[in-house]
Amino acid sequence: SRAAHAEEYKFNAYAYREGRALARLVFTNPKTEEYLTVEVEFKFVAPESVGKIAFSTTCRQVATHPVAIFNPLPSPVTFKCETSSQDIRFSPQNFVVPAQSEATLDIVFQPILVGSGSASVRLKST
């Protein structure tokens, strides 16, 4: 029976953008050269928040939080940084992570007024 010969295969698929992709997998028996072709459709969705960063500083003073971004892909990836707060900026604002490398982004918080609140930070590949 077919189920008696079932095997599990694991592989990873990475995407820095939302969208769909179709992959064609070919499984070949090296002894008989018989093969089976399977098409697998992927739907890549926006990730949920990866965490929270707490900043605490006095007015007009700077607090910085470094974030490491790893690119597992075989080609460079360019990122654009966005925030919902006027008190947050990025260094660098837009940056490239080389293929199969890591880069560091600094999230810089410099409040103008006294207070508390929350904001979002988003990295988008371009």
Side-chain angles (χ1 to χ4, degrees):
S1 85
R2 191 174 185 147
H5 300 297
E7 290 190 38
E8 286 190 27
Y9 294 91
K10 180 181 177 182
F11 64 95
N12 296 315
Y14 299 99
Y16 280 115
R17 293 188 199 146
E18 294 178 66
R20 294 184 179 273
L22 186 64
R24 179 174 295 139
L25 308 175
V26 179
F27 297 93
T28 305
N29 181 326
K31 292 180 183 176
T32 65
E33 296 187 12
E34 293 177 300
Y35 66 92
L36 172 67
T37 301
V38 180
E39 288 188 346
V40 180
E41 183 177 1
F42 294 95
K43 179 181 179 185
F44 297 103
V45 297
E48 295 184 18
S49 176
V50 294
K52 293 184 178 185
I53 301 169
F55 286 107
S56 180
T57 188
T58 56
C59 279
R60 304 187 196 289
Q61 298 302 307
V62 173
T64 302
H65 183 84
V67 176
I69 295 121
F70 179 71
N71 175 11
L73 301 175
S75 58
V77 177
T78 301
F79 287 95
K80 177 182 177 186
C81 304
E82 299 176 347
T83 181
S84 62
S85 172
Q86 294 179 339
D87 294 333
I88 295 175
R89 59 186 165 80
F90 305 95
S91 179
Q93 178 65 38
N94 300 319
F95 63 100
V96 175
V97 181
Q100 299 178 339
S101 297
E102 186 174 286
T104 301
L105 167 71
D106 285 332
I107 301 174
V108 181
F109 176 61
Q110 187 174 19
I112 297 172
L113 302 173
V114 174
S116 63
S118 63
S120 64
V121 168
R122 184 175 179 168
L123 303 181
K124 293 176 79 173
S125 62
T126 57

